[in-house]
Amino acid sequence: MSPDTDFVAPLSQRLLALNMNISTAESCTGGGIGYCLTALPGSSTWYLGGYISYSNQAKIRDLGVKLQTLDSYGAVSEEVACQMAEGCASRTGSDLGISVTGIAGPDGGTDKKPVGTVCFGWSIRDTCLTETRVFAGDRSMVRQQTIEHALLRAVNLLDDFSV
């Protein structure tokens, strides 16, 4: 798999212009965002690292997600995505934490949270923004769309942040 750095270059440019850095917390993408970010030469100047928190135990242990939040909302929720983003930003000292948690399939979906449901979190300094999307396609397609959306939305948020 060759990462598509077309989604990374604009993010890199915004981060460098704002003198900011990022970290990631990934569940359903299994490190795919970090893989894409580090495919761009020079990413070590703005990417501080990431967590692959595939299990609930890892979300709690590594990112500080609260058990009560997982019990109340489920792992695939904006509440958990926010805590994941805040946790990775806090633990790495980054200005921006990006998180994803979702159901890539082919199994695991429900009527309320079908396969393709992904919750995103972006923690920018003291603000956490969240979003839920439902992507179509097989497991690989859902994961790729998740990576692209997380990075493109981060660029948009940084553009808004710098205004």
Side-chain angles (χ1 to χ4, degrees):
M1 178 170 95
S2 177
D4 187 349
T5 57
D6 289 347
F7 299 101
V8 180
L11 178 59
S12 171
Q13 293 165 1
R14 294 302 301 135
L15 289 164
L16 290 170
L18 294 168
N19 195 31
M20 293 175 73
N21 52 47
I22 67 168
S23 60
T24 54
E26 301 181 63
S27 185
C28 61
T29 51
I33 296 172
Y35 179 70
C36 286
L37 293 175
T38 58
L40 189 69
S43 58
S44 63
T45 60
W46 46 263
Y47 181 53
L48 300 185
Y51 296 87
I52 301 173
S53 54
Y54 207 67
S55 69
N56 287 350
Q57 180 183 2
K59 289 173 178 65
I60 294 166
R61 180 192 65 229
D62 299 338
L63 299 168
V65 172
K66 295 178 176 61
L67 178 59
Q68 180 180 1
T69 306
L70 286 161
D71 287 344
S72 296
Y73 301 100
V76 180
S77 65
E78 291 186 14
E79 291 81 3
V80 167
C82 182
Q83 289 182 9
M84 289 172 64
E86 290 174 338
C88 79
S90 172
R91 283 161 171 72
T92 62
S94 68
D95 300 304
L96 169 60
I98 299 173
S99 71
V100 295
T101 181
I103 307 164
D107 302 318
T110 65
D111 288 341
K112 289 186 178 182
K113 295 178 185 177
V115 168
T117 301
V118 179
C119 297
F120 297 84
W122 297 271
S123 177
I124 303 178
R125 298 195 174 138
D126 294 327
T127 303
C128 189
L129 305 163
T130 59
E131 182 179 357
T132 300
R133 300 284 300 264
V134 179
F135 298 113
D138 64 14
R139 182 177 181 82
S140 178
M141 292 170 66
V142 168
R143 289 164 50 110
Q144 185 61 37
Q145 291 172 88
T146 299
I147 292 165
E148 292 172 10
H149 182 72
L151 298 177
L152 290 172
R153 185 77 172 109
V155 173
N156 294 338
L157 292 172
L158 289 172
D159 285 344
D160 294 342
F161 185 79
S162 65
V163 173

